[in-house]
Amino acid sequence: MTGDERESEIQPDEIQVAQEDAQDVQRPALDDDQMATLTRLIKVMYPQDRFPDGPFERCAEVVRDGVQTDLPAGLARLDDLAGGSFKDADDAALRQLVDGLGRDDFVVAVHSVAVNTLYNDHEVWTILGYEGPSFEKGGYINRGFDDLDWLPEARITEYEGQGRVENVPLAQNAGGN
């Protein structure tokens, strides 16, 4: 299952319901090892080689403070499923483990906070080349909306061979007529 397929399974209204159903869960402080595991989980959920650790660590802090689930229990379960230490396990194994969890309540809860938090980080915006919202700056019309310098130059050549005519048979309609 690809990341796109996993994300398409999770509907925003389901995330909202899951968060609303979780009543004031006590959120104990996480120790450094647990925070490292949470950060690693977010890195596995959103594999971005170009991102430094900072955005993932800030995202983990927001998840710690905002998710409505028992984080220590969920992180301990990840360690168990990884055979000891989730944060120290192989990338491919962790990817498979997280994909296998699918719609697990813990993973959905972390995802529901992490997805917006990570991609709303201004350092991430800079890395991705996003200049931020354009409304306050007058929109995109006069701000390079068509600036495609990140694409390679188009290779446009004229066909210099002899012209030819191809006969294409008419398609049969679905009724077989």
Side-chain angles (χ1 to χ4, degrees), residues 2 22 25-26 45 51-52 54-55 67 74 102 106 117 119 129 132 140 167-168:
T2 66
V25 174
Q26 291 290 348
M45 293 173 88
F51 294 4
V67 76
F106 175 74
T117 303
Y119 291 104
Y140 289 112
N167 290 323
V168 179

Side-chain angles (χ1 to χ4, degrees), residues 21-165:
D21 288 346
Q23 299 301 318
D24 298 318
V25 174
Q26 291 290 348
R27 288 186 287 283
L30 298 180
D31 63 29
D32 291 343
D33 191 56
Q34 290 170 317
M35 282 302 292
T37 300
L38 180 57
T39 301
R40 182 82 162 109
L41 171 61
I42 295 166
K43 286 182 176 184
V44 169
M45 293 173 88
Y46 306 99
Q48 297 286 343
D49 294 336
R50 297 184 329 180
F51 294 4
D53 291 340
F56 292 107
E57 291 166 352
R58 288 188 294 275
C59 183
E61 291 171 4
V62 173
V63 169
R64 175 198 61 205
D65 296 339
V67 76
Q68 299 291 317
T69 192
D70 186 358
L71 280 174
L75 295 171
R77 199 179 86 194
L78 287 178
D79 282 337
D80 289 343
L81 291 171
S85 176
F86 182 89
K87 69 179 173 49
D88 296 325
D90 171 73
D91 284 347
L94 293 183
R95 184 84 220 155
Q96 187 174 12
L97 187 151
V98 171
D99 285 347
L101 290 174
R103 298 178 65 125
D104 176 79
D105 289 343
F106 175 74
V107 173
V108 169
V110 171
H111 166 76
S112 70
V113 176
V115 66
N116 289 324
T117 303
L118 183 62
Y119 291 104
N120 277 333
D121 188 289
H122 288 234
E123 185 177 359
V124 168
W125 288 5
T126 301
I127 293 166
L128 297 177
Y130 177 58
E131 297 176 5
S134 68
F135 181 76
E136 309 86 42
K137 301 171 186 168
Y140 289 112
I141 297 296
N142 298 317
R143 293 191 55 245
F145 76 96
D146 59 350
D147 178 13
L148 300 177
D149 60 355
W150 53 275
L151 288 175
E153 285 296 319
R155 186 181 56 156
I156 301 173
T157 58
E158 291 289 328
Y159 177 71
E160 295 180 10
Q162 188 173 8
R164 64 181 192 193
V165 175

Side-chain angles (χ1 to χ4, degrees), residues 171-177:
Q172 296 291 326
N173 67 18
N177 296 333

